[in-house]
Amino acid sequence: MIADDLKRLAEEVSLCHRCTLRNTARGVVFGEGAPTSRIVFCGEGPGAEEDRLLRPFVGAAGQLLDKMLAAMGLDRNHNAYILNAVKCRPPGNRVPLPEELMQCRPHLDAQIALLRPAIIVLLGTTAIQTFLGPKARVTRIHGTWHRQQDLWLMPTYHPAALLRNPQWKIAAWSDLKQVIDKYREIVDPDHVAAHYPKPSTS
Ligand code: URA
């Protein structure tokens, strides 16, 4: 079962010392959500609150992410999975170094291989560059679909960036509406999103 396989992987990753982030972090923040969910949200790396509770997106940015998910008819306990490009908190919340991202990549790949999502929403530059390369810029490519094997990737703004720049929220919601459209197209045609109803066919 996927849940058991994820649990085993989480145990394995919890022992990781591939990079030095583990020396300063309290622990590994593996990720959480519905194991059979077809949609994954990928952030950058744990912050202080995430490191304290060993859960992804539980601080201020996480609260906004939960609201974004709710507007999309999604929720981390039922139909979405949340993870980060690096699993340990970079000291002082600095951006993870390329070396740290590289060392953590096998964990991310193993997670994705088990979850087999249809869609990954890439939250902010670090997640975007992890999947789309170092030249990718959120301001230029948010809202555009990228296809990698069976995956649909949608780059958008990181919720922490939206807290700092609320004027970007309109663009972010437009990106997320495209995600709901794709989710209805390839995962669940009857998906209900309170803030983005399906066009009526009658
Ligand atoms: N920011 C991230 O990118 N990930 C978290 O888990 C929390 C804040």
Side-chain angles (χ1 to χ4, degrees), residues 43-47 50 56-57 61 84 158:
E44 175 175 285
E50 288 75 22
F57 280 100
N84 282 303
H158 191 287

Side-chain angles (χ1 to χ4, degrees), residues 4-47:
D4 296 332
D5 292 342
L6 279 171
K7 210 167 152 221
R8 260 190 297 277
L9 180 63
E11 278 161 16
E12 193 185 310
V13 176
S14 75
L15 305 174
C16 177
H17 280 271
R18 292 171 65 103
C19 77
T20 53
L21 289 183
R22 187 66 182 80
N23 301 342
T24 46
R26 222 193 112 237
V28 172
V29 179
F30 180 71
E32 68 181 27
T36 54
S37 134
R38 305 303 320 283
I39 183 160
V40 164
F41 290 77
C42 179
E44 175 175 285

Side-chain angles (χ1 to χ4, degrees), residues 46-177:
E49 197 58 7
E50 288 75 22
D51 187 49
R52 195 172 71 79
L53 298 174
L54 301 184
R55 295 180 56 207
F57 280 100
V58 286
Q63 283 169 26
L64 177 56
L65 179 61
D66 281 336
K67 285 187 194 155
M68 290 155 66
L69 293 180
M72 300 173 77
L74 299 171
D75 138 22
R76 63 171 91 190
N77 295 312
H78 294 109
N79 53 6
Y81 198 96
I82 299 173
L83 46 70
N84 282 303
V86 294
K87 311 299 180 201
C88 294
R89 181 193 182 201
N93 293 349
R94 65 161 170 72
V95 175
L97 303 173
E99 166 74 6
E100 293 158 352
L101 286 159
M102 198 180 74
Q103 297 294 351
C104 214
R105 185 68 199 247
H107 302 323
L108 177 62
D109 288 343
Q111 259 176 318
I112 302 289
L114 289 177
L115 289 163
R116 304 190 65 223
I119 300 169
I120 304 183
V121 180
L122 305 173
L123 302 167
T125 300
T126 300
I128 291 170
Q129 293 185 346
T130 296
F131 283 85
L132 301 177
K135 293 205 178 123
R137 295 284 173 274
V138 61
T139 44
R140 297 189 75 161
I141 65 163
H142 78 90
T144 60
W145 285 110
H146 296 257
R147 192 89 166 107
Q148 277 180 6
Q149 287 93 37
D150 292 343
L151 277 173
W152 288 96
L153 305 172
M154 172 55 77
T156 191
Y157 294 93
H158 191 287
L162 296 177
L163 289 173
R164 288 190 301 268
N165 304 279
Q167 72 277 17
W168 293 347
K169 283 187 180 175
I170 293 170
W173 178 234
S174 146
D175 302 345
L176 297 180
K177 283 195 286 191

